[in-house]
Amino acid sequence: MSQSYDVVIIGGAMMGSSVAWWLLRHPGFDGSILIVERDPTFEFASTTHTNSCIRQQFGTPINVQVSQFGVEFVRNARDYLGADAPEIAFREFGYLYLAADEAFAAQLTRNHAVQTALGADTVLLEPDEIKDRFPFMSTDGLVLGSLGASGEGYFDGHGILAVWREQAKAAGVERRTGEVAGISRTGGRASGVTLADGTRIEAGAIVNCAGPRAAQVARMAGLEIPVAPRRAYSFVFDTAEPLPVDLPLTITPSGVHVRPDSRTRYLAGCMDEAGPGAAYDDFAMDPDIWMDHVWPTLAERIPPFERIKISSEWVGHYAINTLDHNAIVGPVPELAGFYLCNGFSGHGLQQSPAMGRGLAELIATGAYQTLDLSPLGYDRIAARAPLLEPAVI
């Protein structure tokens, strides 16, 4: 293995693999790439624990546009990945946001205006319209709903990751197992990394794709970014009988969400009420969260879910941007050669195609060429000027 690379990517799961794959495709880049991964099994990576869904129902224009490219990528995966790549599953069942008060209904209405102005296929539903479409659902206490009629649902993100990794390896991208312990600077430029075993690696550019550990890596470069892990609970359960019509991914007013996995199997989840700040190795399940919160919420909103049986459960980490729940992507002006790809706050997998493409453009040419991701740049972090994303699950 070389000890010098044009690009060193810290973190090799969905984001790191996307950056590497898009760099290989860019005609302006012909350099060497190393991905440093602390755990190549991805046992505790956010990518591994994701629900692998995609939506266009965001409240900031850049997030809608990022997701729209994600949908384009998934729908036309073989055009990007090659004719020999496997089919990438995409099941469009939509997202359904439910509002139980006028304040959130107003927010859904504002979000809807942003989405439809950019061509998203979302519709607002009154409670009786929700009942007409989904007769099994209780609309008690609801004020409004917002439904994605197309371009939202489940996609095989892990299948895309496997192809990105395989094609990158075939093209010469190297991977090294290790933990980055330091980032060196030469003048005002990031110039290399030091691994925990003492190995020093020179780099022309460094990309922080460290997921929930992003702030830890940023500190090695002398930066503070507001990214912290937050536990997310997931439960797979089976129903005694199938629902009469397909269930969209439904977000209840309390934040509990549920989506279909098959005709009688569903996946539900919620966030840890303690908020961001979990220890990096804290993947403990709250023993009471299902019985005290998740199941009662589901059964109240969807009465057929009173008769269900859990088949599996797990805990993952969201990399939460505590400033505004939006990604932090792009260069750091005061440290040339250091790039951020962090803080996706639970919607990273669906944003990975656009983020990898954008960072590849920046590294290869110095500018965004397709979609301008600068609204998600580091400048707003340094200025403490949030770009708030109101549609967070």
Side-chain angles (χ1 to χ4, degrees):
M1 275 189 159
S2 171
Q3 296 297 101
S4 178
Y5 298 84
D6 293 292
V7 179
V8 172
I9 300 170
I10 303 172
M14 201 69 179
M15 286 300 173
S17 292
S18 178
V19 173
W21 187 84
W22 282 101
L23 273 171
L24 294 171
R25 287 174 54 89
H26 200 287
F29 181 83
D30 61 357
S32 56
I33 302 171
L34 173 68
I35 296 176
V36 179
E37 179 53 59
R38 63 185 306 276
D39 177 13
T41 71
F42 303 140
E43 180 180 2
F44 298 109
S46 296
T47 295
T48 304
H49 298 108
T50 179
N51 293 346
S52 201
C53 289
I54 189 165
R55 60 188 164 105
Q56 297 180 47
Q57 291 190 71
F58 288 94
T60 49
I62 186 61
N63 283 332
V64 178
Q65 294 170 303
V66 163
S67 184
Q68 287 174 326
F69 176 67
V71 171
E72 177 192 326
F73 186 93
V74 173
R75 282 179 172 163
N76 304 286
R78 282 186 167 174
D79 292 342
Y80 291 97
L81 301 174
D84 294 335
E87 291 282 357
I88 300 300
F90 183 29
R91 184 182 173 195
E92 297 183 60
F93 43 66
Y95 276 58
L96 175 62
Y97 280 86
L98 300 175
D101 58 62
E102 295 294 343
F104 190 50
Q107 184 63 65
L108 289 181
T109 302
R110 290 191 293 271
N111 294 352
H112 176 261
V114 171
Q115 296 152 17
T116 55
L118 292 168
D121 187 13
T122 58
V123 293
L124 296 177
L125 302 174
E126 297 295 330
D128 59 339
E129 294 174 305
I130 297 173
K131 193 69 174 179
D132 287 342
R133 290 181 183 240
F134 310 107
F136 54 82
M137 188 176 296
S138 170
T139 56
D140 292 348
L142 295 183
V143 177
L144 191 69
S146 179
L147 176 67
S150 64
E152 298 186 333
Y154 162 86
F155 72 104
D156 184 7
H158 295 109
I160 293 174
L161 174 61
V163 176
W164 281 346
R165 285 168 56 83
E166 180 182 344
Q167 293 183 355
K169 180 179 179 180
V173 171
E174 296 181 27
R175 289 179 179 264
R176 186 173 301 196
T177 301
E179 187 159 5
V180 173
I183 295 174
S184 54
R185 305 166 66 124
T186 301
R189 185 174 191 87
S191 57
V193 300
T194 302
L195 304 187
D197 65 3
T199 302
R200 297 175 62 87
I201 302 168
E202 295 181 359
I206 300 170
V207 187
N208 181 355
C209 292
R213 295 174 182 262
Q216 184 182 57
V217 170
R219 287 188 198 102
M220 299 175 195
L223 302 173
E224 289 292 334
I225 59 173
V227 178
R230 184 177 184 181
R231 289 186 299 177
Y233 304 112
S234 294
F235 305 89
V236 176
F237 63 89
D238 294 281
T239 61
E241 299 176 2
L243 298 176
V245 297
D246 286 342
L247 176 73
L249 192 155
T250 302
I251 305 97
T252 69
S254 71
V256 172
H257 51 87
V258 59
R259 73 159 174 86
D261 206 36
S262 68
R263 285 290 292 153
T264 59
R265 177 163 290 187
Y266 297 85
L267 190 156
C270 68
M271 301 298 294
D272 182 8
E273 293 183 355
Y280 293 130
D281 59 354
D282 180 5
F283 292 88
M285 174 60 72
D286 182 333
D288 301 317
I289 193 73
W290 171 258
M291 292 296 294
D292 291 351
H293 181 48
V294 180
W295 186 25
T297 301
L298 295 176
E300 178 184 22
R301 189 56 59 194
I302 305 173
F305 285 171
E306 291 179 352
R307 298 174 59 213
I308 56 180
K309 181 180 179 180
I310 291 181
S311 58
S312 63
E313 61 184 33
W314 66 85
V315 180
H317 282 176
Y318 281 1
I320 301 294
N321 175 357
T322 59
L323 178 67
D324 59 17
H325 296 98
N326 260 321
I328 310 169
V329 177
V332 177
E334 59 263 40
L335 185 58
F338 191 71
Y339 297 84
L340 301 171
C341 187
N342 309 118
F344 292 92
S345 304
H347 41 268
L349 201 78
Q350 64 185 285
Q351 295 193 329
S352 60
M355 297 302 162
R357 182 183 65 172
L359 280 167
E361 293 168 353
L362 272 180
I363 293 168
T365 72
Y368 294 118
Q369 299 172 307
T370 48
L371 179 60
D372 183 7
L373 300 178
S374 58
L376 301 174
Y378 174 74
D379 288 348
R380 80 182 197 282
I381 305 300
R384 305 296 296 177
L387 174 68
L388 291 173
E389 174 50 61
V392 176
I393 301 174

